[in-house]
Amino acid sequence: MPRPLPTAKQPSPSILSGGDKILTHPDRVRQLIAGRPDRVFPVSAHFYLTNSCNHDCSYCSEIDYRKEYPAKMRTHLAVRLMGELAEVGTKSVVFIGGGEPTLHKDYPLIVQSAADNGLQVGLVTNGSRASMIEAAEHYSWVRVSMDGGTPELYSKIRRVDLDEFDKVLSNIRALRRARPDLVIGVQFLIATAESLEVLPGFLEKLSRMGATYALVKVPVAFDWFSTEHMQHVNLDLPESVNGMSVYKHDVVSEGVGNAGLPCWASRMNATISADGKLHVCCRLVNTGQYEEAFLGDLSETSFRDLWTSQFVVDKANALLDPANTAKCPECWMTKFNKSIAGVTPEDLASLSFV
């Protein structure tokens, strides 16, 4: 009997959470290793639609950024940029960061524009808004951020009303009904010791709701969170619960400085903030280095012209020098840079073949 094809319930851990997925774009990797970032356009774009948020999470890294740079993406600019990203060969957009993307009044229209231009769409959301469901047909994946496994803990950590917890769970169920095939992930940040206590029951609940996976993360910015608890999370979680995959965030800190490597990966992802500005990466933006991250204003020029401008290419070349990445904050791109650093010419030569 033929082996059944994997379903949305069975994402590959190495693709979902590992750095090697960047190697699925070998042509871009070859150019970056050769020191030619000028020849590389982004695979994906992180798109901030608004810096407003209807939650007030106690741990949020964006709080100061939102206060200092309040903004909302103009709809016509967002729609224009979807076409321009597609034109340079970008494959996907992720609505994320700054604030809650689904608060934008034209969120469904902007998602529709991305889909119309052939871009795959990902969404990172708090799951509280019905507009998330309105755009359901266009998503490749959705990840909902939840940090408390009970209404009381959720309310405490996110500083929202008690009924918000059940509303988000209801929206996840509605999204599953709208898209039975959709990859729906739920991120659970271990924000308190109590979070560990409620986690097993919460994972059980998510599995019954049809979540594809749960991603359990330990905050890297909380100095008070003990290594003992971090190892507990790393070792004791199951790989799956009732068919729902459970992924553990790598709790071994990468530390600052990008592991002493060039930052090739930053050229593979564009970060566009809600004020229409292009930035080097999202981590510099949300760690108070907004000015250092700034590359230019997309309301004044096309994406292609700005991305290929001498100023932006010089910035990309500078990031290929580990001396310039030594001051970078801890970053999600480090795992991709490690994968690029470990690739051989033989690997790159064969990646385009079965």
Side-chain angles (χ1 to χ4, degrees), residues 131-338:
S131 54
M132 170 184 76
I133 305 161
E134 292 176 37
E137 65 179 299
H138 301 304
Y139 300 133
S140 293
W141 56 265
V142 172
R143 188 172 77 230
V144 181
S145 298
M146 297 188 74
D147 314 306
T150 66
E152 294 76 18
L153 186 57
Y154 184 85
S155 175
K156 176 183 177 181
I157 294 170
R158 291 190 159 251
R159 297 189 284 217
V160 293
D161 293 338
L162 276 173
D163 63 357
E164 191 80 348
F165 178 80
D166 287 332
K167 181 169 74 172
V168 172
L169 293 183
S170 177
N171 285 342
I172 294 174
R173 293 187 187 97
L175 185 61
R176 172 56 72 213
R177 289 194 297 270
R179 280 287 306 280
D181 62 326
L182 180 64
V183 171
I184 302 175
V186 177
Q187 176 175 300
F188 188 96
L189 183 76
I190 303 296
T192 69
E194 190 180 352
S195 301
L196 286 175
E197 298 172 7
V198 303
L199 181 56
F202 185 59
L203 293 177
E204 181 75 24
K205 182 189 291 285
L206 291 177
S207 71
R208 294 197 303 268
M209 291 168 46
T212 312
Y213 71 89
L215 177 63
V216 180
K217 300 183 73 174
V218 176
V220 296
F222 290 179
D223 293 335
W224 50 262
F225 203 94
S226 72
T227 303
E228 178 185 352
H229 280 157
M230 293 169 74
Q231 295 302 325
H232 175 76
V233 174
N234 189 44
L235 296 175
D236 288 354
L237 289 176
E239 293 185 358
S240 65
V241 175
N242 298 327
M244 177 190 74
S245 298
V246 179
Y247 299 111
K248 284 89 68 172
H249 186 272
D250 184 3
V251 301
V252 178
S253 174
E254 302 284 3
V256 299
N258 191 42
L261 295 170
C263 189
W264 298 287
S266 59
R267 193 66 176 172
M268 303 274 269
N269 186 76
T271 298
I272 302 172
S273 57
D275 54 5
K277 306 297 197 303
L278 178 68
H279 302 276
V280 171
C281 73
C282 61
R283 282 296 285 147
L284 292 180
V285 170
N286 65 26
T287 54
Q289 301 175 67
Y290 185 89
E291 300 303 329
E292 293 89 335
F294 175 72
L295 294 176
D297 191 340
L298 287 164
S299 67
E300 299 175 353
T301 187
S302 72
F303 184 86
R304 176 185 286 276
D305 287 348
L306 182 54
W307 190 260
T308 57
S309 68
Q310 193 60 53
F311 175 74
V312 173
V313 171
D314 286 346
K315 283 271 194 178
N317 276 311
L319 290 173
L320 298 184
D321 183 350
N324 293 324
T325 63
K327 60 184 179 181
C328 285
E330 184 150 5
C331 182
W332 66 288
M333 287 192 173
T334 300
K335 64 183 179 183
F336 300 121
N337 290 317
K338 284 183 172 181

